[in-house]
Amino acid sequence: MVANQIDLAFSGDLTDPWVVALRDAIRTPSLRAIGEELPERWPAGPPPSVLVLHRATLSVAEADRLRRLRDAERAPRVILVAGPHARYHQIMAWSGLVDVLLPEATAGETIARHLGQANAPRVAPQRPVPIALACRQWELGRLLEDALGPAGYAPRRERDDPLLGPEPWVAWDVPVLDPDWSTRLAMAAQRRGVIALLGLADRRTVATARAAGAIACLDLPIDPDDLIFVLDRLTAARRSVPSRRDSSHPHRPRSFDRQSRVRTP
């Protein structure tokens, strides 16, 4: 899915590879870069309809500038991607100024869901698509089960083992405090697509999960719609690849190879 017919502006430090990856996840020809700092006022002409901000820190001065811009006529919808140095009290001060707040490390997975293309009706899979849920937390597993079923997926609960089951995908509640979690992820990724659910994900954790073979990384606590969005993307990618199986990994569709991975630095 890509943003379509959206006048979208992006502000962030494009010398930072993570910020570049976030910008690249916004696949729309109408994207305008407006620099690392917000302007005092919008340039001549209509303001953007959506403004995406990446900020490593959140200052009071820039919050005031954003407030003035939003008080102008036809104020844009604002999506804030907060970096690792943003403090809780700063985020709370900004929360009333933005429409969507996303964590930096996993924003690239789901930002397209928030850019306005979600106005198009979602097309559910024609047949229930199986997915395993390897969750240590009973409540998390129940939450995801309740959301995935009506969305056209067939979730099956497993214990905390991403290797178990024949499903082509597994959403794994990764025990990031266990020293061998990346090894377990790498083993599972050899035979199926692993969506890593990471508690309080940061750049290092996401980079480690990606290097181990995760096809997507989402933050915990999770919005189930984010997982549905990622699964919809993977399902669409799988349909676009000829139905052939890797003889060495009978349950791993070939669509999990490089063309279906979303890369993050």
Side-chain angles (χ1 to χ4, degrees):
M1 298 182 187
V2 295
N4 190 25
Q5 303 300 320
I6 301 172
D7 184 10
L8 192 151
F10 182 90
S11 175
D13 177 9
L14 294 179
T15 66
D16 183 340
W18 281 80
V19 180
V20 173
L22 175 65
R23 181 202 59 186
D24 292 347
I26 304 170
R27 301 182 183 94
T28 174
S30 61
L31 181 63
R32 287 192 269 160
I34 61 173
E36 294 182 41
E37 295 186 358
L38 290 174
E40 290 291 343
R41 60 183 60 85
W42 296 117
S49 55
V50 180
L51 173 63
V52 178
L53 297 175
H54 177 280
R55 291 294 183 269
T57 59
L58 302 173
S59 71
V60 173
E62 193 166 36
D64 290 339
R65 189 176 302 171
L66 178 59
R67 185 177 293 106
R68 290 194 296 272
L69 291 173
R70 297 213 69 179
D71 287 342
E73 186 178 358
R74 294 180 60 192
R77 187 164 176 264
V78 178
I79 300 172
L80 172 64
V81 180
H85 303 299
R87 297 294 179 255
Y88 178 78
H89 69 278
Q90 296 170 327
I91 291 174
M92 293 306 297
W94 278 66
S95 61
L97 299 173
V98 303
D99 300 280
V100 178
L101 175 63
L102 298 177
E104 173 194 71
T106 58
E109 300 282 7
T110 60
I111 193 167
R113 185 169 81 84
H114 301 282
L115 288 178
Q117 74 279 14
N119 293 332
R122 175 181 176 268
V123 178
Q126 294 182 348
R127 297 179 181 178
V129 177
I131 176 173
L133 300 175
C135 296
R136 296 165 296 151
Q137 306 174 53
W138 185 89
E139 291 185 356
L140 173 62
R142 180 64 180 271
L143 173 70
L144 296 179
E145 274 187 313
D146 290 347
L148 290 173
Y153 293 91
R156 185 179 64 85
R157 294 280 297 278
E158 274 293 356
R159 291 173 298 174
D160 179 26
D161 190 342
L163 280 167
L164 296 178
E167 293 83 1
W169 293 303
V170 59
W172 184 30
D173 173 18
V174 179
V176 293
L177 296 181
D178 290 356
D180 66 340
W181 69 264
S182 60
T183 301
R184 294 175 63 193
L185 197 160
M187 292 174 60
Q190 290 299 310
R191 62 178 300 271
R192 71 201 312 189
V194 180
I195 302 169
L197 309 181
L198 303 166
L200 300 176
D202 57 18
R203 292 187 182 195
R204 182 179 61 82
T205 307
V206 169
T208 301
R210 286 290 189 184
I215 57 172
C217 297
L218 295 173
D219 204 5
L220 291 174
I222 188 172
D223 180 343
D225 287 342
D226 284 343
L227 178 57
I228 292 168
F229 180 80
V230 168
L231 286 170
D232 285 351
R233 184 178 69 216
L234 295 173
T235 301
R238 187 183 184 190
R239 286 197 300 263
S240 69
V241 176
S243 177
R244 294 184 297 174
R245 293 183 182 273
D246 185 329
S247 60
S248 64
H249 302 294
H251 300 299
R252 180 174 177 257
R254 297 185 70 86
S255 59
F256 293 145
D257 292 338
R258 293 179 182 176
Q259 67 265 38
S260 66
R261 294 178 187 267
V262 179
R263 296 188 178 276
T264 305

